[in-house]
mmCIF file of all heavy atoms in Angstrom:
data_model
loop_
_atom_site.group_PDB
_atom_site.id
_atom_site.type_symbol
_atom_site.label_atom_id
_atom_site.label_comp_id
_atom_site.label_asym_id
_atom_site.label_seq_id
_atom_site.Cartn_x
_atom_site.Cartn_y
_atom_site.Cartn_z
ATOM 1 N N VAL E 84 -28.924 21.026 7.867
ATOM 2 C CA VAL E 84 -29.489 21.781 9.028
ATOM 3 C C VAL E 84 -29.857 23.153 8.507
ATOM 4 O O VAL E 84 -29.551 23.644 7.535
ATOM 5 C CB VAL E 84 -28.350 22.035 10.118
ATOM 6 C CG1 VAL E 84 -27.255 22.957 9.610
ATOM 7 C CG2 VAL E 84 -28.884 22.580 11.433
ATOM 8 N N ASN E 143 -24.896 23.028 6.680
ATOM 9 C CA ASN E 143 -24.401 21.764 7.075
ATOM 10 C C ASN E 143 -23.802 21.759 8.521
ATOM 11 O O ASN E 143 -23.221 22.745 8.961
ATOM 12 C CB ASN E 143 -23.306 21.338 6.085
ATOM 13 C CG ASN E 143 -23.935 21.033 4.666
ATOM 14 O OD1 ASN E 143 -24.194 19.861 4.370
ATOM 15 N ND2 ASN E 143 -24.063 22.093 3.838
ATOM 16 N N THR E 144 -23.848 20.595 9.029
ATOM 17 C CA THR E 144 -23.057 20.276 10.297
ATOM 18 C C THR E 144 -22.083 19.121 9.805
ATOM 19 O O THR E 144 -22.496 18.290 9.014
ATOM 20 C CB THR E 144 -23.887 19.944 11.517
ATOM 21 O OG1 THR E 144 -24.649 18.748 11.193
ATOM 22 C CG2 THR E 144 -24.938 21.087 11.827
ATOM 23 N N PHE E 145 -20.912 18.972 10.529
ATOM 24 C CA PHE E 145 -20.112 18.009 10.161
ATOM 25 C C PHE E 145 -19.472 17.272 11.428
ATOM 26 O O PHE E 145 -19.333 17.957 12.473
ATOM 27 C CB PHE E 145 -18.819 18.548 9.334
ATOM 28 C CG PHE E 145 -19.131 19.258 8.188
ATOM 29 C CD1 PHE E 145 -19.502 20.569 8.193
ATOM 30 C CD2 PHE E 145 -19.145 18.537 6.906
ATOM 31 C CE1 PHE E 145 -19.780 21.308 6.974
ATOM 32 C CE2 PHE E 145 -19.389 19.328 5.743
ATOM 33 C CZ PHE E 145 -19.746 20.635 5.856
ATOM 34 N N VAL E 155 -16.824 18.565 16.215
ATOM 35 C CA VAL E 155 -18.101 18.787 15.681
ATOM 36 C C VAL E 155 -18.034 20.238 15.116
ATOM 37 O O VAL E 155 -17.677 21.111 15.875
ATOM 38 C CB VAL E 155 -19.228 18.769 16.728
ATOM 39 C CG1 VAL E 155 -20.624 19.114 16.139
ATOM 40 C CG2 VAL E 155 -19.341 17.257 17.264
ATOM 41 N N LEU E 156 -18.414 20.405 13.904
ATOM 42 C CA LEU E 156 -18.481 21.724 13.150
ATOM 43 C C LEU E 156 -19.839 21.911 12.801
ATOM 44 O O LEU E 156 -20.416 21.235 11.963
ATOM 45 C CB LEU E 156 -17.535 21.729 12.049
ATOM 46 C CG LEU E 156 -17.543 22.954 11.153
ATOM 47 C CD1 LEU E 156 -17.123 24.269 11.861
ATOM 48 C CD2 LEU E 156 -16.593 22.830 9.920
ATOM 49 N N GLU E 157 -20.486 23.017 13.246
ATOM 50 C CA GLU E 157 -21.851 23.377 12.844
ATOM 51 C C GLU E 157 -21.792 24.849 12.129
ATOM 52 O O GLU E 157 -21.243 25.689 12.676
ATOM 53 C CB GLU E 157 -22.735 23.468 14.070
ATOM 54 C CG GLU E 157 -22.720 21.945 14.734
ATOM 55 C CD GLU E 157 -23.601 21.812 15.763
ATOM 56 O OE1 GLU E 157 -24.243 22.784 16.570
ATOM 57 O OE2 GLU E 157 -24.007 20.604 16.023
ATOM 58 N N THR E 158 -22.445 24.884 10.999
ATOM 59 C CA THR E 158 -22.463 26.141 10.249
ATOM 60 C C THR E 158 -23.763 26.769 10.099
ATOM 61 O O THR E 158 -24.762 26.180 10.195
ATOM 62 C CB THR E 158 -21.745 25.807 8.878
ATOM 63 O OG1 THR E 158 -22.851 25.103 7.972
ATOM 64 C CG2 THR E 158 -20.576 25.017 9.011
ATOM 65 N N ALA E 159 -23.690 28.123 9.865
ATOM 66 C CA ALA E 159 -24.880 28.952 9.473
ATOM 67 C C ALA E 159 -24.391 29.829 8.450
ATOM 68 O O ALA E 159 -23.846 30.848 8.838
ATOM 69 C CB ALA E 159 -25.356 29.587 10.715
ATOM 70 N N LEU E 162 -20.785 31.459 8.709
ATOM 71 C CA LEU E 162 -20.608 31.480 10.187
ATOM 72 C C LEU E 162 -20.492 30.111 10.665
ATOM 73 O O LEU E 162 -21.058 29.116 10.170
ATOM 74 C CB LEU E 162 -21.490 32.389 10.944
ATOM 75 C CG LEU E 162 -21.791 33.754 10.599
ATOM 76 C CD1 LEU E 162 -22.881 34.436 11.259
ATOM 77 C CD2 LEU E 162 -20.442 34.517 10.656
ATOM 78 N N TRP E 163 -19.747 29.924 11.824
ATOM 79 C CA TRP E 163 -19.549 28.464 12.417
ATOM 80 C C TRP E 163 -19.182 28.456 13.748
ATOM 81 O O TRP E 163 -18.613 29.473 14.380
ATOM 82 C CB TRP E 163 -18.601 27.716 11.498
ATOM 83 C CG TRP E 163 -17.253 28.287 11.410
ATOM 84 C CD1 TRP E 163 -16.814 29.294 10.456
ATOM 85 C CD2 TRP E 163 -16.104 28.160 12.299
ATOM 86 N NE1 TRP E 163 -15.496 29.645 10.615
ATOM 87 C CE2 TRP E 163 -15.056 29.030 11.750
ATOM 88 C CE3 TRP E 163 -15.814 27.391 13.421
ATOM 89 C CZ2 TRP E 163 -13.912 29.141 12.348
ATOM 90 C CZ3 TRP E 163 -14.748 27.543 14.067
ATOM 91 C CH2 TRP E 163 -13.652 28.299 13.511
ATOM 92 N N ALA E 164 -19.419 27.314 14.387
ATOM 93 C CA ALA E 164 -18.885 27.099 15.707
ATOM 94 C C ALA E 164 -18.460 25.609 15.759
ATOM 95 O O ALA E 164 -18.964 24.756 15.080
ATOM 96 C CB ALA E 164 -19.988 27.256 16.803
ATOM 97 N N ALA E 165 -17.374 25.397 16.578
ATOM 98 C CA ALA E 165 -16.829 24.017 16.598
ATOM 99 C C ALA E 165 -16.638 23.502 18.009
ATOM 100 O O ALA E 165 -16.333 24.456 18.931
ATOM 101 C CB ALA E 165 -15.528 23.931 15.885
ATOM 102 N N ARG E 173 -20.296 10.893 21.138
ATOM 103 C CA ARG E 173 -21.163 12.052 20.607
ATOM 104 C C ARG E 173 -21.807 11.763 19.285
ATOM 105 O O ARG E 173 -21.416 10.817 18.573
ATOM 106 C CB ARG E 173 -20.149 13.258 20.354
ATOM 107 C CG ARG E 173 -20.767 14.567 19.854
ATOM 108 C CD ARG E 173 -21.217 15.318 21.048
ATOM 109 N NE ARG E 173 -21.362 16.701 20.875
ATOM 110 C CZ ARG E 173 -22.239 17.436 19.970
ATOM 111 N NH1 ARG E 173 -23.170 16.735 19.438
ATOM 112 N NH2 ARG E 173 -22.289 18.743 19.920
ATOM 113 N N LEU E 175 -24.769 13.379 16.065
ATOM 114 C CA LEU E 175 -25.411 14.341 15.389
ATOM 115 C C LEU E 175 -26.684 13.936 14.684
ATOM 116 O O LEU E 175 -26.678 12.827 14.215
ATOM 117 C CB LEU E 175 -24.519 15.066 14.443
ATOM 118 C CG LEU E 175 -23.248 15.747 14.792
ATOM 119 C CD1 LEU E 175 -22.533 16.261 13.540
ATOM 120 C CD2 LEU E 175 -23.583 16.881 15.764
ATOM 121 N N GLN E 178 -29.640 18.861 13.479
ATOM 122 C CA GLN E 178 -29.946 20.024 14.305
ATOM 123 C C GLN E 178 -28.622 20.540 14.838
ATOM 124 O O GLN E 178 -27.688 19.884 14.908
ATOM 125 C CB GLN E 178 -30.790 19.671 15.360
ATOM 126 C CG GLN E 178 -30.381 18.639 16.287
ATOM 127 C CD GLN E 178 -31.401 18.071 17.180
ATOM 128 O OE1 GLN E 178 -31.883 18.825 18.116
ATOM 129 N NE2 GLN E 178 -31.687 16.780 17.229
ATOM 130 N N LEU E 179 -28.705 21.874 15.206
ATOM 131 C CA LEU E 179 -27.496 22.323 15.930
ATOM 132 C C LEU E 179 -27.462 21.899 17.344
ATOM 133 O O LEU E 179 -28.483 21.742 17.946
ATOM 134 C CB LEU E 179 -27.583 24.002 16.012
ATOM 135 C CG LEU E 179 -27.742 24.739 14.681
ATOM 136 C CD1 LEU E 179 -27.848 26.231 14.916
ATOM 137 C CD2 LEU E 179 -26.521 24.379 13.955
ATOM 138 N N SER E 180 -26.256 21.504 17.694
ATOM 139 C CA SER E 180 -26.195 20.786 19.043
ATOM 140 C C SER E 180 -25.063 21.347 19.881
ATOM 141 O O SER E 180 -24.895 20.915 21.069
ATOM 142 C CB SER E 180 -25.914 19.310 18.749
ATOM 143 O OG SER E 180 -24.630 19.088 18.083
ATOM 144 N N ILE E 181 -24.273 22.249 19.443
ATOM 145 C CA ILE E 181 -23.259 22.971 20.121
ATOM 146 C C ILE E 181 -23.890 24.044 20.956
ATOM 147 O O ILE E 181 -24.531 24.983 20.489
ATOM 148 C CB ILE E 181 -22.103 23.479 19.395
ATOM 149 C CG1 ILE E 181 -21.388 22.386 18.497
ATOM 150 C CG2 ILE E 181 -21.061 24.244 20.183
ATOM 151 C CD1 ILE E 181 -20.313 22.840 17.587
ATOM 152 N N GLY E 182 -23.667 23.948 22.317
ATOM 153 C CA GLY E 182 -24.277 24.980 23.276
ATOM 154 C C GLY E 182 -23.316 25.977 23.655
ATOM 155 O O GLY E 182 -22.780 26.645 22.833
ATOM 156 N N PHE E 210 -24.596 28.592 21.279
ATOM 157 C CA PHE E 210 -24.728 28.739 19.839
ATOM 158 C C PHE E 210 -26.027 28.113 19.250
ATOM 159 O O PHE E 210 -26.766 28.668 18.461
ATOM 160 C CB PHE E 210 -23.505 27.983 19.324
ATOM 161 C CG PHE E 210 -23.576 27.883 17.697
ATOM 162 C CD1 PHE E 210 -23.491 28.947 16.940
ATOM 163 C CD2 PHE E 210 -23.824 26.542 17.114
ATOM 164 C CE1 PHE E 210 -23.532 28.895 15.531
ATOM 165 C CE2 PHE E 210 -23.906 26.438 15.719
ATOM 166 C CZ PHE E 210 -23.726 27.636 14.903
ATOM 167 N N ALA E 211 -26.427 26.824 19.696
ATOM 168 C CA ALA E 211 -27.529 26.074 19.301
ATOM 169 C C ALA E 211 -28.835 27.168 19.581
ATOM 170 O O ALA E 211 -29.785 27.124 18.815
ATOM 171 C CB ALA E 211 -27.780 24.767 19.778
#
Side-chain angles (χ1 to χ4, degrees):
V84 69
N143 291 266
T144 64
F145 301 89
V155 174
L156 173 64
E157 300 186 338
T158 73
L162 303 174
W163 54 271
R173 185 74 154 79
L175 296 178
Q178 59 188 299
L179 298 181
S180 61
I181 298 175
F210 175 70

